[in-house]
Every structure is written in structure tokens, then in C-alpha cells.
Amino acid sequence: MNATATSLTWVAIGPLSAIPRLGARCVIKGDTSIAVFRLNDDRLFALEDRCPNDNGPLSQGIVHDGLVTCPICNWVISLETGAAQGADHGQTATFPVKLDGETIYLGV
């Protein structure tokens, strides 16, 4: 998606405490499942919950070092850019996410 800042609608999706550190929760927007990830330092990232290789659910992958590993094919995806790492090529959509107080907002 990668919407521009001027066309965003910020939607409250819940409290920070609803996502465990190094974990994810999914939000459904229309036909798209969006995985919101929380790192150990409480930084948040949002990706379409679909590996660009095999459509594996990234929300069920292992989160490490700003990356998530697909639970099905082991491709490694950047949480910041949605790009496959290493020799793999592909991209999953990213979405802006922000924290205001303890409430997480997703830009759609």
C-alpha cells in the first residue's frame, strides 16, 4: 500500500500491551490482513500478512533484528521496507503505524 501521509486515515487498533514484544497481531482491512509487529524496544511496524514468496502468514513468523522469517519458506523480510533479504527477491506491502500514548494507530 505505502500510502502518502496526506491521504492517510489513522485508525486506532488497540493498546501497545495487546502485542507481545517480538510478536504480532493482525488487523483486517477489507480483503487485506495486516500484521502489526512490536520489537523489544517497542518500535512498531506493519506489513501485509503475506510472504511475497509463498503467501505464508508473516504474523506467525519469527521476529528478529528488525526482520521477520516466514514460517513456511524461511524467507527473511525487512519489517521496515517489506523487502526480501539476501538472494531472495520480492516485496510485501508496508503500512504506516504509530503509537500515541499507549494506543496504536494504523495508517490506511
Side-chain angles (χ1 to χ4, degrees):
M1 178 170 175
N2 306 329
T4 62
T6 57
S7 65
L8 288 178
T9 298
W10 291 99
V11 178
I13 59 170
L16 181 63
S17 61
I19 304 176
R21 288 191 167 115
L22 300 180
R25 290 290 183 263
C26 289
V27 175
I28 304 298
K29 173 68 177 160
D31 294 336
T32 304
S33 178
I34 301 169
V36 180
F37 296 89
R38 177 183 177 189
L39 299 184
N40 266 338
D41 60 6
D42 293 337
R43 285 183 293 151
L44 299 166
F45 297 93
L47 301 175
E48 184 173 3
D49 191 22
R50 186 174 66 82
C51 177
N53 180 43
D54 61 5
N55 295 327
L58 295 176
S59 61
Q60 296 177 30
I62 296 172
V63 177
H64 55 96
D65 303 322
L67 307 164
V68 61
T69 299
C70 176
I72 296 187
C73 68
N74 289 326
W75 274 31
V76 177
I77 307 299
S78 166
L79 292 174
E80 186 172 347
T81 67
Q85 303 296 292
D88 299 320
H89 299 280
Q91 181 98 24
T92 192
T94 62
F95 297 85
V97 62
K98 67 180 182 180
L99 187 64
D100 185 4
E102 290 296 313
T103 303
I104 300 169
Y105 289 86
L106 181 65
V108 291

